[in-house]
Amino acid sequence: MRKALITGITGQDGSYLAELLLEKGYSVFGLIRRSANPNFWRIQHILDKIKLVEGDLLDQTSLNNVIAMVQPDEVYNLASQSFVGTSWTQPELTAEITGLGALRMLEAVRQFCPKARFYQASSSEMFGAVKETPQDENTPFYPRSPYGAAKVFAHNITVNYRESYGMFCVSGILFNHESPRRGEEFVTRKITRAVGRIKVGLQESLELGNLEPKRDWGHARDYVEAMWMMLQASEPRDYVVGTGETHSVREFVQAAFAAAGLDWTKYVIVSDKLFRPAEVYLLHANPKRIKDHLGWKPKCSFEQLVQEMVEADIELARREKEGLSKN
């Protein structure tokens, strides 16, 4: 039985990846930090099928111990401080976790399990102020946030370990991918969560920042399959993962409210205070390499994605309302 270690297993991508690997017969280990209030809601239904091990991307010794103990066949480094907005208020922490955390994981694998295949979660935010459209594996990086800059370091150090030590290390440059498990601090989930609460009468309006940026949005379930496929390839290569389509935040808003039968213009307030210091206006993937080399392509459309998120958040809002009425 193959063993996989997932950092960030309690997050959106980690939970979908754990499900996929369990379906494929893996023994799945998840790295978690010691916490008084662990956030297990995304993996609650598979807790009895996975093994959780304690470690911290800020602590090299803990990572060494985990890798030495588990001896994984595959390592998926998904953990990071992943919210772009927070990276402006906590830039040093973002660099430590998102950037140096990847280096620490690579070093632990190099020393204690060098035959393991290593996946690094790179991000389209590395492209930032894009130099060409659409973006592929050869597009220059121009990050526009501490998060994007930290991801560039993590990406480049992964390349360095592959080329310097002959390790099987790959990076997936994933464009925006969403789901009902997306954190509520991200704009897509902020939108669908508000739509659900407005639909059942728990909220009156939604305050948003810039509606003009365009993103390439796909479903996280599809994208974790791409991660797995990269580690099954005959040689390690980096891949851009996206749909090849772009939609603006405004379009996402329109689609989400329409999915609930609501007119978005009656509820949305644009606030200057929610604009970012340096905005990334267009991220548009060219996923030709992964389609040609690995045969991957997204299964879920933009419309299906928005519909699934809205339906889930309407149901969540209904349960929330029932809970309030009981109190």
Side-chain angles (χ1 to χ4, degrees), residues 46-237:
I46 54 171
L47 272 178
D48 60 334
K49 300 173 184 170
I50 60 178
K51 301 175 183 71
L52 299 179
V53 289
E54 287 189 354
D56 195 321
L57 289 183
L58 298 176
D59 177 18
Q60 184 71 62
T61 302
S62 73
L63 301 181
N64 293 348
N65 291 340
V66 166
I67 294 295
M69 176 186 71
V70 175
Q71 289 293 299
D73 298 289
E74 298 172 6
V75 176
Y76 296 86
N77 185 41
L78 311 186
S80 71
Q81 190 300 101
S82 60
F83 186 47
V84 174
T86 299
S87 80
W88 288 104
T89 57
Q90 296 182 296
E92 187 176 351
L93 181 65
T94 300
E96 280 283 357
I97 298 173
T98 306
L100 289 175
L103 170 61
R104 294 184 188 104
M105 279 302 305
L106 282 161
E107 189 59 15
V109 172
R110 182 183 75 82
Q111 291 192 53
F112 296 96
C113 194
K115 298 296 185 188
R117 296 191 168 200
F118 182 90
Y119 173 87
Q120 168 59 24
S122 288
S123 167
S124 59
E125 289 290 331
M126 301 188 306
F127 295 124
V130 296
K131 294 301 182 184
E132 61 186 24
T133 297
Q135 296 88 51
D136 64 19
E137 294 81 4
N138 297 314
T139 302
F141 299 140
Y142 195 144
R144 296 281 281 166
S145 66
Y147 169 75
K151 279 292 187 183
V152 169
F153 173 83
H155 180 90
N156 286 337
I157 202 65
T158 301
V159 172
N160 268 259
Y161 269 63
R162 176 170 72 222
E163 295 179 352
S164 301
Y165 299 116
M167 294 165 62
F168 195 108
C169 302
V170 302
S171 290
I173 306 173
L174 270 58
F175 281 65
N176 292 64
H177 47 290
E178 319 298 318
S179 75
R181 299 180 191 174
R182 190 57 141 154
E184 292 183 26
E185 69 273 23
F186 292 88
V187 68
T188 49
R189 186 72 199 293
K190 180 180 178 181
I191 292 165
T192 60
R193 187 80 171 93
V195 168
R197 299 186 89 249
I198 289 168
K199 182 70 175 177
V200 304
L202 289 177
Q203 190 169 323
E204 293 182 354
S205 63
L206 168 62
E207 198 173 23
L208 292 171
N210 197 337
L211 300 183
E212 304 316 315
K214 291 186 174 182
R215 295 291 185 268
D216 187 322
W217 274 304
H219 198 299
R221 192 187 298 112
D222 290 340
Y223 287 36
V224 300
E225 186 173 21
M227 298 175 190
W228 175 79
M229 292 172 79
M230 285 181 221
L231 290 194
Q232 314 316 307
S234 57
E235 60 179 282
R237 295 196 72 174

Side-chain angles (χ1 to χ4, degrees), residues 266-286:
K266 295 179 180 177
Y267 304 100
V268 174
I269 301 162
V270 175
S271 169
D272 290 346
K273 74 175 186 287
L274 294 178
F275 280 49
R276 288 177 180 169
E279 185 58 83
V280 174
Y281 278 92
L282 175 64
L283 292 174
H284 182 187
N286 176 3

